[in-house]
Amino acid sequence: QVQLAESGGGSVQAGGSLTLSCQASGDTSKAFCMGWFRQAPGKEPEGVASIDLDDQSTDYSASVKGRFTISRDTAKNTLYLQMNNLEPEDTAMYYCAADPPTCYAWRVPKAVSAGYVGRGTQVTVSS
């Protein structure tokens, strides 16, 4: 079992930055991919970013590419999402997830079915 715990959310003004963290615990040795997805009220979950844990290749949704950066600190078993130039449209609950069916950003919400999802952290961006 893999347990995930997000932190780092908050409220910022448009143009600001936040860094989200996801502490992984449990048996993470077999995980092949981790990522972030978000869900705004009344909207479908949106995959934001993914990282392949073997070759560190990354993938981003078009809406965040160039503004967000996903990374992982293997020693700390922690996943990060650096978010720059935030926009009001980025307001959502952000979730960390592991092992979606395939390692692409848009597939990250599908990790919910495997149960490898954290409780989320709220990001609010004001204009």
Side-chain angles (χ1 to χ4, degrees):
Q1 281 286 354
V2 175
Q3 293 82 43
L4 304 170
E6 304 92 338
S7 62
S11 297
V12 296
Q13 290 191 324
S17 299
L18 281 173
T19 300
L20 305 184
S21 299
C22 173
Q23 179 67 57
S25 60
D27 186 7
T28 60
S29 63
K30 298 180 181 178
F32 77 97
C33 178
M34 294 186 73
W36 295 90
F37 72 93
R38 65 188 181 185
Q39 188 167 20
K43 294 190 176 181
E44 292 293 315
E46 176 192 9
V48 172
S50 63
I51 183 166
D52 186 303
L53 302 185
D54 288 329
D55 63 15
Q56 306 302 305
S57 60
T58 58
D59 186 53
Y60 298 92
S61 66
S63 61
V64 308
K65 195 168 188 178
R67 300 187 297 121
F68 291 11
T69 302
I70 188 172
S71 62
R72 186 187 183 220
D73 185 325
T74 303
K76 295 181 179 180
N77 215 7
T78 302
L79 184 73
Y80 300 99
L81 185 68
Q82 173 68 43
M83 307 185 294
N84 298 325
N85 195 20
L86 283 160
E87 303 169 352
E89 293 74 21
D90 296 316
T91 295
M93 185 72 80
Y94 283 71
Y95 299 89
C96 171
D99 286 354
T102 51
C103 204
Y104 294 102
W106 72 276
R107 295 284 270 174
V108 173
K110 301 299 183 182
V112 173
S113 62
Y116 298 147
V117 180
R119 293 180 177 272
T121 186
Q122 177 68 38
V123 172
T124 303
V125 185
S126 58
S127 58

